[in-house]
Amino acid sequence: VSGENTQAGYLIETNEDMLIEDFRTEKRFVRSQLLREHRVRSGIRAVIRGKNTPFGDLAAYTKQIRHFTEEDIIFMRAVANTLADAFIGHQADREQEQTLRSLEEVNEARQRLLQRLSNIVEEERKRIANDIHDSSLQVLAGLGMRLQLVAEKVDDPDQKKSLSEM
């Protein structure tokens, strides 16, 4: 909010509570159209302070000139501080909920990734087992045929027996 000629802007820029005992003599800003329409004469405003920047302000107005007491100021500050605490708590709750949602999403993604990795590892194990099984059987079958051929060409009965056993 621009501080130029507005109560809210002035209040937020100065970050100080404000008393306006008579709008007709006020020089810091121009009274808004709404306040003029309702013939507001006096007002009190307190900043609702946030962690880094104000949330806004709390205002009370009267149609008669009023001289606000120290108790009025303390009351407005107390209500504004209560509102600020509620807003800060609400923001913290929303941030916590968002953080929990984010953590749940990350955990779900991690679970999917682990499942995918497990599937890939299992598929690779099967592929390697099949490759080993297939190539080993081929090698052994080929070796058996060669031994058979060699055994047929050998004349020595002991060697033939040994080759047959192999």
Side-chain angles (χ1 to χ4, degrees):
V1 174
S2 169
E4 190 175 325
N5 291 329
T6 67
Q7 287 180 61
Y10 183 86
L11 185 76
I12 299 299
E13 283 183 5
T14 62
N15 201 25
E16 295 177 5
D17 300 328
M18 181 186 335
L19 297 175
I20 304 121
E21 292 199 357
D22 189 348
F23 274 102
R24 293 177 302 180
T25 61
E26 182 58 52
K27 304 287 185 219
R28 295 174 289 184
F29 41 79
V30 175
R31 183 170 40 159
S32 73
Q33 180 65 31
L34 181 66
L35 296 179
R36 283 195 302 272
E37 288 173 6
H38 288 279
R39 297 187 179 100
V40 169
R41 296 287 300 273
S42 297
I44 184 170
R45 294 179 79 132
V47 178
I48 303 172
R49 291 179 173 84
K51 289 181 184 177
N52 302 319
T53 60
F55 288 109
D57 71 299
L58 176 66
Y61 299 104
T62 65
K63 290 185 176 186
Q64 299 83 27
I65 291 181
R66 177 167 175 175
H67 300 286
F68 294 99
T69 66
E70 186 65 26
E71 288 82 20
D72 294 330
I73 297 168
I74 291 170
F75 176 77
M76 286 296 283
R77 284 185 188 150
V79 173
N81 289 342
T82 301
L83 287 170
D85 288 344
F87 291 151
I88 289 168
H90 180 69
Q91 275 184 333
D93 289 345
R94 284 183 21 212
E95 289 171 5
Q96 183 180 24
E97 288 171 7
Q98 179 60 41
T99 299
L100 286 174
R101 276 194 300 272
S102 295
L103 287 173
E104 287 171 356
E105 289 171 5
V106 167
N107 189 46
E108 289 171 6
R110 186 181 64 82
Q111 290 294 334
R112 287 191 304 272
L113 183 61
L114 285 173
Q115 183 61 46
R116 186 170 173 228
L117 182 60
S118 177
N119 291 343
I120 290 170
V121 167
E122 186 59 31
E123 287 172 14
E124 188 63 14
R125 282 185 186 153
K126 287 178 183 177
R127 187 192 64 75
I128 291 170
N130 286 338
D131 287 352
I132 289 172
H133 181 264
D134 290 347
S135 61
S136 297
L137 286 178
Q138 288 174 0
V139 168
L140 289 173
L143 185 59
M145 286 191 243
R146 286 186 183 152
L147 286 172
Q148 217 172 19
L149 288 172
V150 170
E152 289 174 5
K153 294 181 182 178
V154 172
D155 293 330
D156 183 352
D158 290 333
Q159 284 182 350
K160 229 178 202 186
K161 183 180 177 191
S162 285
L163 288 170
S164 292
E165 289 173 358
M166 278 194 242

